[in-house]
Every structure is written in C-alpha cells, then in structure tokens.
Amino acid sequence: MQKRIIDESLSLVPYYPNYEEALKWYQDPQLCKQVDNIDHVYTLDKLKAMYDHMSSHGECYYIEYKGRLVGDITLNDNDEICIVVSREYQNRHIGRKSVKNIIDLAKEKGIRYLKAEIYSFNEQSKKMFSSLGFRHIDNNLYMLNQNRIEASDLYLDKARFCDWSDMYENVWSRPECSRYMRWSLTENENDAQIRIRKTIEFQRDHDTYLVYEKKSGKAIGFAGVEKIFTLACEEAGICLGAEYMGKGYGKQILKALMDYAGKEYGAKEFLYSTREENTASKKLAAFFGFKQVGSENMVDDRDGHTYKILRYRKSLTETDVGDFGINEMKTMQRSLQLKYQGKWETIGPETGKNKLLWMIGEIGEVTDIIKKNGGTKSCEDLNLRKNLIEELADVLMYYNDVLLCYGITAEELKKCYTEKYERNLNRW
C-alpha cells in the first residue's frame, strides 16, 4: 500500500497504529451513532480490535487533511467501503473525495460491485454515496455497479427493493411476458416483494440485471449474460414489459449484452436461444446475423407441454467466420494437392489410412501443448493460444484430406452429424 494523493490538501495514508489520534473521533457519541448505530463511545480495546480487523481484512487508510489525520476509510475484502470523518471536518467534501478515490482504487483492482451499509437516519452519508452513483438496494444496503450496461434509451443495473412495484406492474403479472419464458406469474404485491428480494440475492453472484428506461426511470424488464467457457458468452434471458415491446428496445439490449461480453470477458462468440414459436426473438437473431446451430425439444414445467428451443451463435470478431465450413476447407486442400502433385502422396481410398495417421500425430501436438501448460493457460496466453490454433488447423487439414480420400461430401457429413446430434439430445 502507498499513500494516495487526492489533491494538495487531501491524501489517504496507509494505516499504522495511531490510537491517540484516532480515539478522539470515536469518543464522539454522535459520530458513533452515525456510523455504528450505537449509544456508547469506543474504548481503546474496541478501537484496537476494529483496526486489527480492518487492516487484516482490507485496505485501511487514514484520511489526512492539511497535514492532520481527520478520519479513516477502508476497502474491505468483501468489497464494502467503510468511512469515518471527524465531525468537525464533515461538510467539506472530504468524505466524498475520499470515497471517490477508493472507488478508483476498486477499479484498479478490477472490482465490479461496491457496497456500503448506511443506516436509514444517516441522511448525510446517504446523500454522499448516492451522489457517487450508489443505489439503495434494500434495508441499509447501498451498491455501486461499476459495470452498469448502457444503451441509447435504456440501462441495465442491479435490482433494488423499490423496483418490486414496477416489475410487478410491467412484467411479473403479465401473461404475455411469461409466455415464452420459464417462470410463473406473480399473483399479488406481497409475492412481488418476496420475488424482488430473491432477485436481488440472485443478482449479487450473476451477470443479470433489471432493464430501466432512461426517460421514465422505471424498471421495465430483465436481461443478463453468462460466461459459458473461456471465450464464449450466452444471453441469460431477455424479457420486456408488454407496453415496451415493439420499440426497438430488444435490439438495444442484445447489442449492449454482446458489447459487454466482448469488453468484460473478451468473448469471441455469443450464443442466443429462443423458442421456435417466438417470432419476435427469431427476427432479433436474424437482425444481428446469428446463425442457427441446433435445436432441442424441452418440456415446460408449468403445464407439461413440449416446445422446441432454437440455438444460435454469432462471432463477435470483426470478420465473422461462421460460414467457414467443410466445403471451403476441402477446396483449399484440393488446391494444395494440385500444386504439389507429384511431391505429395496422392489422394485416394488407399492413402486415407496414412492421412489418418498424420492427423493423429497432429492431435498429439495439440495434446502436448495442453498437457505442458494446462487448458486455461493454453487458451488465455496469446502465444500459446496461437500455437494451439495452428496445431488444430493442421489437424483439420489432415481431416479434410481424409474426407477427400474417401469421397465424403459436406452434405453427407452434415446429415450424419445432425442425426447423431438429435439422438444425443434425447439419450438421457
């Protein structure tokens, strides 16, 4: 930890034992009530125990103003910000500037969500934290989402308890909203309040959000994204209130989720799914150039009826290679065979076994990279990833040579592959 300079008058100094100075702040009954909701002041033993805990479970700083220590601030390991400013130095923007600096520290550390516990009677702290983007979630909990997802007319952010009314009115009580989803309708306001608390709890550990309309400030739906493997993300459901459909909001949400997946996770591929009868969602997939890659029969737990889910994918890289398929690879291999005719082994049924052996050798090269470096590092380290892809390309080259040797067409392969896929879907 290093000293953090905020401006010429204000700095954050890494914690060191200075109980004589700090005890003065915690001998103020009003301040103790303000920050801890207690009716007694701190003893020296309590002060030492507090600093021992904060300094060992987070990054604890003194707030230094014009050369004098006037408070403390901590970024806890659980991503909570705790701050105390001596009452005689309050209302000078010292607390606000200090919290802003700790928010910057959290960004440097890659922390996405920050929280603060503020008692309902502490109007001063509520106003300060709110001015820095913290939103009241429930009870004494305030949260700052450093990854709020923006769109032209909407934004995606974490749910708050006060959103229960909007969600009940716009989404949860509306049959047209749940028609293509897997959730059941909420029957009354009391259930809506229970549901919003479950939503808040779920969203703490998932990249899921409520959708807010900017011009009205209302919660009008929900959406989310999920990282499913190293460089691929999948939408985790998109739902809008009935009155907000047909306004282009679905396009804004899906675009924002794809941009977020690329920026936050470095995703190169985005997956999307919808029910076969959901015409609007299928049009959305077509608008963004998604390619259908499969389907799956499922059972609706609500009434037991069977429906079909369509699976889509889209490349998030500049050049979409979604159409780079068997025929194109085979054409490339044919051109190489023609170029090196007389130097390379001929293509035919009798040489197919040799191509298979060469392919197995290249698979061994792939295996060596992963065995030596591990799967995760092989995917994420740029040099290793380049080598991995090169070896996999060699595997595909020999694989296509095998197809050429035995005269297997892309159409035959697709038919067989699709049949096996459908069988596997229903195997268990």
Side-chain angles (χ1 to χ4, degrees), residues 373-389:
N373 302 284
T376 300
K377 187 177 179 182
S378 298
C379 288
E380 297 179 351
D381 182 282
L382 293 180
N383 289 327
L384 286 174
R385 181 178 179 82
K386 182 174 181 292
N387 292 337
L388 179 66
I389 294 171

Side-chain angles (χ1 to χ4, degrees), residues 18-32 41-44 47 51 68-72 84-89:
N18 190 341
Y19 305 125
E20 182 179 357
E21 189 67 31
L23 189 59
K24 297 175 185 176
W25 316 326
Y26 291 93
Q27 289 290 298
D28 181 339
Q30 287 182 260
L31 185 137
C32 291
V41 299
Y42 274 47
T43 63
L44 181 58
L47 184 74
Y51 277 126
R68 182 172 180 180
L69 301 185
V70 300
D72 60 59
V84 167
V85 178
S86 173
R87 275 205 310 131
E88 79 176 276
Y89 287 93

Side-chain angles (χ1 to χ4, degrees), residues 158-338:
K158 296 298 182 180
R160 306 165 298 174
F161 179 74
C162 63
D163 293 321
W164 72 263
S165 180
D166 284 346
M167 290 300 291
Y168 177 61
E169 178 183 348
N170 295 325
V171 182
W172 291 339
S173 65
R174 308 295 293 270
E176 57 268 62
C177 296
S178 69
R179 181 181 177 188
Y180 301 121
M181 309 298 285
R182 301 181 67 179
W183 47 269
S184 299
L185 294 173
T186 300
E187 300 293 338
N188 54 62
E189 294 185 351
N190 183 60
D191 287 347
Q193 293 178 28
I194 295 172
R195 186 167 185 167
I196 197 69
R197 285 207 161 97
K198 291 181 178 179
T199 300
I200 290 168
E201 187 64 30
F202 180 81
Q203 288 186 353
R204 287 181 178 177
D205 300 316
H206 297 83
D207 255 338
T208 54
Y209 308 87
L210 294 193
V211 177
Y212 298 87
E213 187 182 47
K214 288 181 178 178
K215 66 180 180 182
S216 67
K218 290 184 176 181
I220 63 168
F222 60 83
V225 66
E226 181 181 1
K227 181 180 178 181
I228 54 174
F229 44 86
T230 305
L231 294 174
C233 287
E234 182 176 23
E235 56 88 19
I238 298 174
C239 182
L240 282 169
E243 277 73 31
Y244 301 91
M245 297 176 183
K247 296 186 176 186
Y249 287 175
K251 292 177 182 177
Q252 291 188 34
I253 293 169
L254 184 53
K255 176 65 165 58
L257 291 176
M258 289 191 290
D259 290 345
Y260 175 79
K263 179 181 177 181
E264 182 66 23
Y265 294 116
K268 305 298 183 186
E269 184 177 50
F270 197 86
L271 307 184
Y272 178 79
S273 60
T274 183
R275 295 198 187 198
E276 186 176 39
E277 66 268 31
N278 190 341
T279 303
S281 288
K282 289 195 294 184
K283 287 182 178 179
L284 190 61
F287 178 84
F288 284 104
F290 279 84
K291 308 293 184 183
Q292 187 178 338
V293 294
S295 62
E296 182 179 357
N297 290 325
M298 302 188 73
V299 176
D300 194 318
D301 294 334
R302 298 172 297 184
D303 58 17
H305 87 271
T306 301
Y307 62 93
K308 181 175 285 187
I309 282 284
L310 306 181
R311 308 288 187 190
Y312 297 86
R313 71 164 291 278
K314 176 180 173 61
S315 169
L316 297 182
T317 57
E318 285 188 20
T319 302
D320 192 336
V321 295
D323 290 330
F324 183 57
I326 295 295
N327 280 331
E328 189 172 354
M329 286 188 277
K330 287 173 68 179
T331 299
M332 290 179 179
Q333 289 306 106
R334 283 194 193 97
S335 69
L336 288 173
Q337 292 293 338
L338 288 172

